[in-house]
Amino acid sequence: MAFLVLQYSPEVCAPWNWFGFRSETEILRQHDDDGFLPDRGHLIVELVGEGEPVPIGTVSWHAVDYGPPPTSRGWNIGITLVPEWRGHGHGTRAQRLLADHLFATTVAERVEASTDVENTAERRALERAGFSYEGVLRRAQFRAGGWRDMALYSLVRGEGAPLEG
Ligand SMILES: CC(C)(COP(=O)(O)OP(=O)(O)OC[C@H]1O[C@@H](n2cnc3c(N)ncnc32)[C@H](O)[C@@H]1OP(=O)(O)O)[C@@H](O)C(=O)NCCC(=O)NCCS
C-alpha cells in the first residue's frame, strides 16, 4: 500500500497519469486491501531475479460493461512504471502478463487499454504486447487543464503471440 501511495506523485505520474493531488484516503479508496474487487483491481509490478524482488510500478484494471455482465464485461487496463525502469521492455511485458492473467481468471473476451494519442511509449508498448489499434476516443479524458483524445487498443482472447522468456 505504501508503494501505491508513494507512486501517485507528479514525479512518477506526470504527464500521462497525473490528475492532481489527492489524499491518501482517496488513492486507497480506489483499491481494496488485497488489490482485488469484483469490478477492479491492481497489482504491483516487480522485477524478479536474484535477491529481493524490486517494485518498479503498478498495473490496474477495471470493468467495462458493453451489455449485461458477466458475458459482455471486458477489462480496461492501465500502467505506471517509475521513471528509472522505463524503456527496458517491462511495460510491454507487464501489460501482456496482466492481460493473460485476466483471460486466465475471468470469462472476459476482451481486454482494452486507452492512452493519450501523444503517448508514443504506451502506444508502442501496447502494440508490442499484441494489442490492436481500434480508433480515437475524442476528448475522452480531462487532464492538465484540457480534454484529451485517447487512442483505444484491444486484445481479444486467443490473440497475440505468446511472450518470449
Ligand atoms: C508507457 C510505459 C508503461 C511503457 O513501458 P516501457 O517499459 O517504458 O516501454 P517499453 O520498454 O516496453 O517500450 C515500448 C516501446 O515504446 C518505445 N518507447 C519507450 N519509451 C519511449 C519514449 N519516451 N518515447 C517514445 N517511445 C518510447 C520503445 O522504444 C518501444 O518501442 P519499439 O518497440 O519501437 O522500440 C512506461 O513508459 C510508463 O510507465 N510511462 C509513464 C506512465 C504512462 O504513460 N502510462 C500509460 C498511461 S495510459
Side-chain angles (χ1 to χ4, degrees):
M1 279 302 160
F3 184 79
L4 274 178
V5 175
L6 284 175
Q7 177 159 287
Y8 191 71
S9 65
E11 291 76 20
V12 174
C13 295
W16 310 113
N17 275 340
W18 181 244
F19 299 93
F21 290 101
R22 294 153 69 192
S23 71
E24 185 172 323
T25 310
E26 194 184 346
I27 295 167
L28 294 178
R29 195 184 302 140
Q30 288 205 322
H31 310 287
D32 66 334
D33 284 343
D34 62 7
F36 299 95
L37 287 171
D39 63 351
R40 63 181 55 236
H42 68 271
L43 289 169
I44 292 175
V45 180
E46 289 185 331
L47 271 190
V48 182
E50 293 169 13
E52 289 293 309
V54 180
I56 64 165
T58 53
V59 286
S60 63
W61 63 95
H62 65 267
V64 184
D65 291 327
Y66 289 99
T71 40
S72 299
R73 170 163 286 189
W75 299 109
N76 184 294
I77 66 170
I79 183 168
T80 302
L81 299 182
V82 294
E84 57 266 40
W85 287 107
R86 293 174 192 165
H88 302 281
H90 302 316
T92 299
R93 189 168 173 79
Q95 290 180 99
R96 182 53 191 273
L97 286 172
L98 175 60
D100 289 348
H101 167 74
L102 292 169
F103 286 132
T105 56
T106 75
V107 297
E109 188 68 3
R110 169 187 169 87
V111 173
E112 65 180 42
S114 56
T115 190
D116 193 296
V117 291
E118 295 178 5
N119 191 345
T120 311
E122 173 64 347
R123 295 186 67 160
R124 279 296 301 146
L126 288 168
E127 286 161 7
R128 285 185 56 193
F131 284 67
S132 297
Y133 175 60
E134 293 189 329
V136 174
L137 300 166
R138 297 188 300 159
R139 308 279 185 93
Q141 185 177 88
F142 188 81
R143 182 172 37 78
W147 293 97
R148 311 290 165 182
D149 289 349
M150 306 291 283
L152 180 64
Y153 290 81
S154 71
L155 185 73
V156 298
R157 188 179 287 277
E159 248 183 11
L163 278 176
E164 291 170 17

